[in-house]
Amino acid sequence: MAEAASAPSPSRAVTGDSEFDRDTAVVRREPGVYDIDLSAGWTILGAVNGGYLLAVLGRALGDALPHPDPFTVSAHYLTASRPGRAVIRTETVRTGRTLSTGQASLFQYDDEGNEVERIRVLASYGDLAGLPDDVRTTAKPPAIPPYEQCFGPADGPDPLKGVSAITDRLLLKLDPATVGWAIGQPSGKGEMRAWFGLADGRDADPLSLLLAVDALPPTAFEMGLKGWVPTVELTTHIRHRPAPGPLRVAITTRNLAGGFLEEDAEVWDSEERLVAQSRQLARVRLA
Amino acid sequence: MAEAASAPSPSRAVTGDSEFDRDTAVVRREPGVYDIDLSAGWTILGAVNGGYLLAVLGRALGDALPHPDPFTVSAHYLTASRPGRAVIRTETVRTGRTLSTGQASLFQYDDEGNEVERIRVLASYGDLAGLPDDVRTTAKPPAIPPYEQCFGPADGPDPLKGVSAITDRLLLKLDPATVGWAIGQPSGKGEMRAWFGLADGRDADPLSLLLAVDALPPTAFEMGLKGWVPTVELTTHIRHRPAPGPLRVAITTRNLAGGFLEEDAEVWDSEERLVAQSRQLARVRLA
């Protein structure tokens, strides 16, 4: 808790009444169908962040399924989402005692008003509060310097500064060891680490973990690659309800080949608990 | 290639005419709908192996989609499959230039003849032959002793011996360092490593990689846990077409908590190429 305690405590927004909650709110049109206006506040260079989209879909499924918490969410990204009107269509695939499985697709509209599918997910939900306390984790929290020694968008030159609306909504402080890309000196390693929180102080929960796994700069930047790194598929396992306080996110890439790479993310909470694991397959432009 | 060269070369079955090809053959009933008789030859203690099911679904999608090779396949396991009649219903979700995305569900039948969904997958397909040769992999092949120093089902006592039909169809040789569970001396580490091939000598291909990622004993055994470890979700990335010769599969578990664990698998081919990466979320009975 020591490191986390050194993090700032902004005026704390309450879960349920925060930017993140308002911008992921879905409106039930009919059973299993939800409307939402995708916020421009979670874009990176104009593109809607994939983790924000995942949280929106996760929220719809949390309403549609009998279990409250995402345990494993597999998302395939089809076309780039834009801020604005979208509809989410869910299907309950199976309902079990401890797990239920659902599917959800997010659609937007083309110039003729036809629905265009942006992202489709398969997810299994359960109740995190109902899990036994047994922990035999051998993984270790990432070695990230104390919060005040890490770098946020305001601390660095462009492109770290003000390139994306989402940076105003996140408390993102990058490990100095993985920030070289921002000053033209990438480390060459497939690593990205940061302290992560919501700017308005809203505590983390399983939905915001879906945002956290896809909110850091791409590891490709530290490997000397530039440009967009579109996600093809992203699967996230939520393993425990996060404690209050900033999260630590560590992302590693071990296999950059054939124009694709994987990004493995771990999210640790302030009580040294591994609360989420994710892996995505993404495309890169080879420099 | 040195280690791989020491592996036996059985009478080689040709791809397209092998046990694996015959038992994964799907018959198109109508566009996008396929029938199959799930073979009892790929069962473990009576349950149909999840990797075999994945290969069956992958084969159906390879026929239904315009691209030949699975790049990323996300599977959610709903109910336990049994040997026998099944139908696979596929949907083409999106067709792109380099990637196409599809969905497939495998159904069997209850006593009244109603369809019961066993497994649903979302998958993005492409053309592995069309990828650039660029490789910047920092991952290293697993340190597995030479083939002849590893242990197969015939080398050990029960339960390694003859518990499962699938063992007769695989060339599975476990690293002595991860075989302690079989003699009541688990290492306590979440690791499982093996040489992997098909018993009739059929070379590996992207479809058999879908089998390889879920064909080893569960890491839970080496962590001192017993009993069934049902897969909730399994996502596999196929990164390169495997070269002829035996594969090396290394599986690690870092987070056993709350009655669930992840299994990360890497599959390496005889040319030291990381050809597949997978992660699954599975449930365990805590000892």
Side-chain angles (χ1 to χ4, degrees):
Chain A
M1 196 61 198
E3 285 176 327
S6 66
S9 293
S11 60
R12 306 189 68 76
V14 180
T15 298
D17 180 22
S18 70
E19 284 180 318
F20 179 75
D21 295 293
R22 283 187 293 273
D23 291 346
T24 58
V26 294
V27 178
R28 193 193 311 197
R29 179 196 298 182
E30 60 192 66
V33 182
Y34 302 85
D35 291 298
I36 184 169
D37 193 48
L38 294 179
S39 165
W42 303 86
T43 52
I44 295 176
L45 301 169
V48 179
N49 171 262
Y52 165 68
L53 290 171
L54 211 54
V56 167
L57 285 158
R59 190 149 170 194
L61 280 170
D63 183 83
L65 295 173
H67 292 91
D69 302 315
F71 275 31
T72 170
V73 181
S74 308
H76 286 245
Y77 292 78
L78 306 170
T79 57
S81 299
R82 298 181 302 258
R85 195 165 56 103
V87 58
I88 299 162
R89 303 186 180 281
T90 69
E91 172 195 356
T92 299
V93 177
R94 176 180 174 270
T95 298
R97 187 173 53 82
T98 57
L99 291 175
S100 54
T101 301
Q103 176 173 315
S105 293
L106 184 141
F107 300 86
Q108 290 188 302
Y109 305 90
D110 65 16
D111 297 341
E112 287 71 45
N114 304 309
E115 288 187 356
V116 180
E117 189 167 1
R118 300 301 194 198
I119 172 176
R120 183 177 296 205
V121 306
L122 269 178
S124 292
Y125 274 54
D127 182 357
L128 288 169
L131 298 182
D133 294 332
D134 188 275
V135 180
R136 307 188 198 179
T137 303
T138 56
K140 296 273 171 288
I144 301 185
Y147 189 93
E148 58 275 10
Q149 295 175 21
C150 294
F151 291 104
D155 303 326
D158 288 336
L160 256 188
K161 195 186 295 173
V163 293
S164 307
I166 193 173
T167 58
D168 300 330
R169 281 160 181 73
L170 303 180
L171 268 179
L172 199 61
K173 291 281 192 178
L174 292 174
D175 184 336
T178 66
V179 80
W181 61 273
I183 54 173
Q185 297 169 13
S187 68
K189 297 178 187 170
E191 300 178 2
M192 196 63 65
R193 290 181 295 273
W195 291 93
F196 177 93
L198 292 164
D200 61 10
R202 188 255 202 202
D203 283 327
D205 68 356
L207 280 183
S208 71
L209 293 178
L210 294 177
L211 169 67
V213 297
D214 196 33
L216 271 58
T219 53
F221 288 1
E222 274 297 89
M223 290 186 280
L225 299 175
K226 291 179 167 52
W228 192 237
V229 186
T231 301
V232 176
E233 174 267 331
L234 167 59
T235 296
T236 307
H237 300 170
I238 305 298
R239 302 298 305 275
H240 195 270
R241 182 169 292 278
L247 302 167
R248 283 157 294 176
V249 182
I251 304 180
T252 58
T253 295
R254 304 171 65 240
N255 187 29
L256 167 59
F260 289 82
L261 56 72
E262 95 284 4
E263 275 199 5
D264 281 4
E266 284 188 356
V267 184
W268 292 76
D269 72 5
S270 59
E271 295 179 353
E272 310 287 295
R273 189 86 183 234
L274 179 51
V275 291
Q277 294 168 286
S278 77
R279 172 176 290 166
Q280 71 172 267
L281 182 69
R283 298 172 64 170
V284 289
R285 285 201 205 82
L286 298 171
Chain B
M1 196 61 197
E3 285 176 328
S6 66
S9 294
S11 60
R12 306 189 66 77
V14 179
T15 299
D17 180 22
S18 70
E19 284 180 318
F20 178 75
D21 295 292
R22 283 188 292 275
D23 291 348
T24 58
V26 294
V27 178
R28 193 193 310 198
R29 179 196 298 182
E30 59 192 67
V33 181
Y34 304 84
D35 292 297
I36 184 170
D37 193 47
L38 294 178
S39 166
W42 304 87
T43 52
I44 296 177
L45 300 169
V48 179
N49 171 261
Y52 165 68
L53 290 171
L54 211 54
V56 166
L57 286 157
R59 190 146 171 198
L61 280 170
D63 182 84
L65 294 173
H67 292 90
D69 302 314
F71 275 32
T72 170
V73 181
S74 308
H76 286 244
Y77 292 77
L78 306 171
T79 56
S81 300
R82 298 181 301 258
R85 195 163 57 101
V87 59
I88 299 162
R89 302 184 181 281
T90 69
E91 173 195 355
T92 298
V93 177
R94 175 179 175 270
T95 298
R97 187 173 54 81
T98 56
L99 290 175
S100 54
T101 301
Q103 176 173 314
S105 293
L106 184 141
F107 300 85
Q108 290 189 301
Y109 305 90
D110 65 16
D111 298 339
E112 287 72 45
N114 305 310
E115 288 186 356
V116 180
E117 190 167 359
R118 299 302 193 197
I119 172 176
R120 184 178 295 204
V121 305
L122 269 177
S124 291
Y125 274 54
D127 182 358
L128 289 169
L131 298 182
D133 294 331
D134 188 276
V135 180
R136 308 187 197 178
T137 303
T138 56
K140 298 272 171 288
I144 301 184
Y147 189 94
E148 59 275 12
Q149 295 175 21
C150 294
F151 292 103
D155 303 326
D158 289 334
L160 258 188
K161 193 185 297 175
V163 293
S164 307
I166 193 173
T167 58
D168 299 331
R169 281 160 180 75
L170 303 180
L171 268 180
L172 199 61
K173 291 281 192 177
L174 292 174
D175 184 336
T178 65
V179 81
W181 61 273
I183 54 173
Q185 298 169 11
S187 68
K189 298 178 185 169
E191 300 178 2
M192 196 64 64
R193 291 182 295 273
W195 291 94
F196 177 92
L198 291 164
D200 61 10
R202 187 254 200 203
D203 282 328
D205 68 356
L207 280 184
S208 71
L209 292 178
L210 295 178
L211 169 67
V213 297
D214 196 34
L216 271 58
T219 53
F221 288 0
E222 274 296 270
M223 291 186 279
L225 299 175
K226 292 179 167 51
W228 192 238
V229 186
T231 300
V232 176
E233 175 268 330
L234 167 60
T235 295
T236 307
H237 299 170
I238 305 298
R239 302 299 304 275
H240 196 270
R241 183 169 291 278
L247 303 167
R248 282 157 294 175
V249 182
I251 303 180
T252 57
T253 295
R254 305 171 65 240
N255 188 29
L256 166 59
F260 289 82
L261 55 73
E262 94 285 3
E263 274 199 5
D264 281 4
E266 284 188 357
V267 185
W268 292 77
D269 72 6
S270 59
E271 294 179 353
E272 310 287 293
R273 189 86 182 235
L274 179 52
V275 291
Q277 295 168 285
S278 76
R279 172 176 290 165
Q280 71 172 267
L281 183 68
R283 298 171 65 170
V284 288
R285 284 202 204 82
L286 299 171

